[in-house]
Amino acid sequence: MPTLLSASPTITLAAALTALAAAAPHASGQFDPLGGQWGKEAPTDVRVMTWNIEDGICRTANKANDDNNWAALARIVAALEPDILILQEAGDNSGNGTGSSGDSAAQLETTLGLFLSGGTDPFRGGPVTEYVQLYRPGYDLPNIFVSGSTDGFNRNVVLSRWPFADLNGDGTAETSAFSTVNGSSGIRGIQLAEINLPSDVYVGNLVIGNAHLKSGGSSSDRADREQAATALATYLWNLYEGAGTGSVDPNNQVNDFPMAQNVLPPHTAVIWGGDFNEDELTNGRKGPVDISTQNAVAGGTSDGTDKDGTDAQSDLAVEPFGGSRRTLGGSKLDWLMWQDSAVTARNQFIFNSQQVDDAAMPPELIGFGIFPPLNGRTATSVAADHRPVIVDFILPLGESDDLPGEFALLAPADGQQGLSVPLVSLDWADADNADSYEVTVATDPALTQVVFSQSNLPASQAFFIGAERCTTYFWSVAATNFAGTRDATPAVAAFSTINPAEQNDDGTLDAGDFFAWVANFGNADPRADVNGDGAVEPGDFFAWVAAFGGSC
């Protein structure tokens, strides 16, 4: 990696080792930590990683030091390459000892972009020289959701390889906090992010939850964690799974506005985790992990937070070399949990570089430390006081036979021109097994500049009201049922509306349109306002001539 070696005119031993580590081939498609293979066993597995980062990512952090907590975090994330990363204790400048106050959500989102991709630091000035893509070029988590909830210092964060999308029809894909009849989601809220997985690979989609429950050993601390976990279980079971009835929140347990329109399809899994601040195997009671996976009743099929009412599952991760289950001090406080009827855990582990044999050290960590080469042994302890928990999940693959059938966009035909305004009828073929449709109209082929959208349509037709003359629009339709979503063929089609010189609405530009314009002008008809300035006046004649010549 010459770019790494040329970063400084003096090549130190640490820099050379770092360059060699970055240049070393990374083992992908294999999971054998004892043999130095830290990649996923299958590329379609979804790797989820939770980590309490102890304030290491904040706007005032030193982003140019190659042996501090920021640099250690960047190297470890690059080495383990999660598809979804959930973080706790992000954004606390005073806790990091580099500034004061907590980051706003916008400041922290900018900071996370620097953490991943580098750039110029707008907070401290100068370039960011330590970042994830320095050690893992081409890897990215471009979708960032910073929680709007804060305890005044810390925020929770979800970073995803795939985009966020509203999966249950409540108008949002991102929830920072919620409340139920059983209470709220705690002092820092509990994040929930709905994620749209690529339909050509996975049958369903995914929801990720991220919690940082209250710390402490007092009875009030334990009660706070219990209440937050109870709220989470209530939310998952009633809102996302409809309490087993197929209808959203049938018993009015969740405060959700606007209310979700549908429960999650059976192939859409829910995975959650974070710093639950309690060791479930040693606490001697039903704590927050058990509550959020089992709900009120352990066992059975009545109210567990899995789709079928059974209990969900919590991780059994250990550190591969020493077998330790500890994530902070002598306890396991950090957890991942999931609906095991929808996904299966293939591999799960806790990462602690201090326990890793030299020969098995991820190459991204080689040379880290004040006295290199230390082979990365200090990386985890410098990065944070907690250890990350990682699980590789197997999700259902391929298109399901239960998905809506293939269907086509019918009208307007792709490329059709001269459509009347302001109302355009959009028609498509019925899709077998479709429960509803969603239509989107935009002014760009990527459908990012949306001008019209409707969801939960029961029939294969919609009316776009508000079309403007002489404009090209792009539209798409998705059919949905319990198993997921299928896009129409073609996925996106285009149409153009009428030229404003067309005054008699016969679909052609000819001399008759001039006489029609004269009549419309005499009647002060708004159609004669060709230049669109809101007034019918002589200047519209010159605008009509230009439009007739093909200029809109």
Side-chain angles (χ1 to χ4, degrees), residues 1 260 275 323 348 373 470 542:
M1 293 287 290
D275 180 1
Q348 43 187 304
C470 212
F542 301 101

Side-chain angles (χ1 to χ4, degrees), residues 478-489:
T480 301
N481 67 9
F482 72 92
T485 298
R486 185 190 295 275
D487 294 329
T489 302

Side-chain angles (χ1 to χ4, degrees), residues 412-420 472 494-498 507:
D414 192 14
Q416 185 172 344
Q417 299 179 354
L419 273 73
S420 298
T472 298
F495 63 87
S496 298
T497 52
I498 195 168

Side-chain angles (χ1 to χ4, degrees), residues 63 70 113-122 125-131:
K63 310 172 189 69
W70 173 282
L114 300 173
F115 176 74
L116 291 165
S117 306
T120 301
D121 188 347
V128 175
T129 59
E130 291 294 316
Y131 53 95

Side-chain angles (χ1 to χ4, degrees), residues 517 520-529 531 533-540:
W517 177 82
N520 291 334
F521 181 83
N523 295 324
D525 190 313
R527 286 181 296 178
D529 179 21
N531 63 12
D533 66 357
V536 176
E537 36 84 28
D540 289 307

Side-chain angles (χ1 to χ4, degrees), residues 401-470:
D401 292 337
D402 296 328
L403 286 175
E406 295 183 359
F407 67 105
L409 300 180
L410 299 179
D414 192 14
Q416 185 172 344
Q417 299 179 354
L419 273 73
S420 298
V421 297
L423 185 146
V424 176
S425 175
L426 306 171
D427 297 272
W428 56 93
D430 291 330
D432 292 339
N433 301 320
D435 292 334
S436 64
Y437 301 93
E438 180 177 4
V439 61
T440 302
V441 180
T443 55
D444 66 306
L447 303 178
T448 60
Q449 306 299 318
V450 176
V451 295
F452 172 80
S453 65
Q454 266 188 299
S455 58
N456 298 306
L457 291 166
S460 53
Q461 186 180 46
F463 296 97
F464 168 32
I465 301 174
E468 298 181 355
R469 287 174 176 253
C470 212

Side-chain angles (χ1 to χ4, degrees), residues 12-15 17-18 66-67 75 366-376:
T12 64
L13 176 60
L17 287 169
T18 298
D66 65 1
D67 63 4
R75 288 185 184 229
I366 295 175
F368 178 82
I370 300 174
F371 304 108
L374 290 179
N375 293 329

